[in-house]
Structures are given as structure tokens and as C-alpha cells.
């Protein structure tokens, strides 16, 4: 199992690419819950399609993850929502955002975080 944790820096872009994935033994798994920047998604998808590796991922180059993303259909892949804001402070901020949006709606003001139908279809 390889778990990826690194900052977003020029030298960490695609830190895990074709070469690094090829060095992983058959049946190994890759966990990326840090930043999509760190893993070459195209190379990872190719390895996953071969069935040689497994993966657990909650960060993607394109977010929200498209409904037709190969990650959604590949066996041995766990796709989850990113939970970086799971701290007390993050949850308090989320609550404040929701309360502010409800207040804006009730007062007839534009919503800051409105979601339209097109966005909803990509969140499934």
C-alpha cells in the first residue's frame, strides 16, 4: 500500500507517475487523499484498467468528479468525497455558510453558493 501525502509544489507535480506506478508490486494499492496534483491520473487509470493495482481516491484533477469518469467504473477502486475540512473549525465555517445562505434566500438576495441542475447531475 502506498499512501500519498505531500504539498503542492512544482517538484511534487505528478510525483507518482508511470514509472513509480510500474514499480509497485502486483496487487498493491494507492491511496491519494492529499492532492490530485501529486498523481498522474492518466497513468493511474491505465494501471487500474490493467487490474494490477487498486486505489482509494478522494481528490481528482476535475472536481466534482464527472459522472462518466473511468474511476467510477473500475474494479478495485474506492472513490469518496474529500473530507479535508473535517475539523471543528471547518464544520463551524460550513454551518456559518449554510446559515448565511438561508438568510440570503429568505431575504431574496442572491446565493453565494448556488448549485444549478447541471452541477447536480455531476455530483451523483
Amino acid at each position: 500500500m502506498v499512501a500519498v501525502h505531500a504539498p503542492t509544489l512544482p517538484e511534487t507535480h505528478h510525483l507518482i507517475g508511470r514509472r513509480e506506478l510500474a514499480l509497485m508490486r502486483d496487487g498493491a494499492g494507492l491511496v491519494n487523499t492529499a492532492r490530485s496534483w501529486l498523481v498522474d491520473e492518466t497513468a493511474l487509470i491505465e494501471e487500474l484498467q490493467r487490474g494490477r493495482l487498486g486505489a482509494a481516491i478522494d481528490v481528482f484533477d476535475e472536481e466534482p468528479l464527472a459522472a462518466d469518469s473511468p474511476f467510477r467504473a473500475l474494479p478495485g477502486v474506492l472513490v469518496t468525497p474529500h473530507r479535508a475540512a473535517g475539523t471543528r473549525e471547518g464544520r463551524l465555517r460550513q454551518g456559518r455558510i449554510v446559515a448565511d445562505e438561508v438568510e440570503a434566500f429568505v431575504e431574496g438576495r442572491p446565493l453565494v453558493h448556488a448549485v444549478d441542475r447541471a452541477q447536480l447531475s455531476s455530483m451523483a
Side-chain angles (χ1 to χ4, degrees):
M1 183 69 60
V2 173
V4 183
H5 304 278
T8 302
L9 302 170
E11 56 267 31
T12 63
H13 186 246
H14 290 177
L15 181 68
I16 306 293
R18 279 187 173 78
R19 179 183 169 280
E20 294 74 21
L21 292 167
L23 292 171
M24 293 175 67
R25 65 180 166 82
D26 290 356
L30 178 89
V31 177
N32 186 8
T33 57
R35 292 154 183 84
S36 66
W37 170 273
L38 303 172
V39 178
D40 179 342
E41 275 193 6
T42 302
L44 178 58
I45 288 169
E46 289 170 4
E47 283 292 343
L48 294 169
Q49 287 172 332
R50 289 185 190 98
R52 206 176 66 75
L53 302 175
I57 313 161
D58 75 350
V59 289
F60 305 93
D61 288 348
E62 180 185 327
E63 292 188 7
L65 186 62
D68 63 348
S69 168
F71 285 118
R72 294 187 183 271
L74 289 167
V77 178
L78 175 64
V79 174
T80 64
H82 188 63
R83 302 290 299 169
T87 64
R88 180 181 182 280
E89 294 81 7
R91 294 200 192 285
L92 289 171
R93 182 171 177 268
Q94 291 169 345
R96 180 77 260 152
I97 289 169
V98 170
D100 290 346
E101 290 292 81
V102 169
E103 183 179 335
F105 178 79
V106 169
E107 293 176 359
R109 292 184 284 121
L111 302 179
V112 176
H113 302 282
V115 176
D116 63 26
R117 288 192 183 278
Q119 290 169 312
L120 280 175
S121 67
S122 68
M123 295 178 182

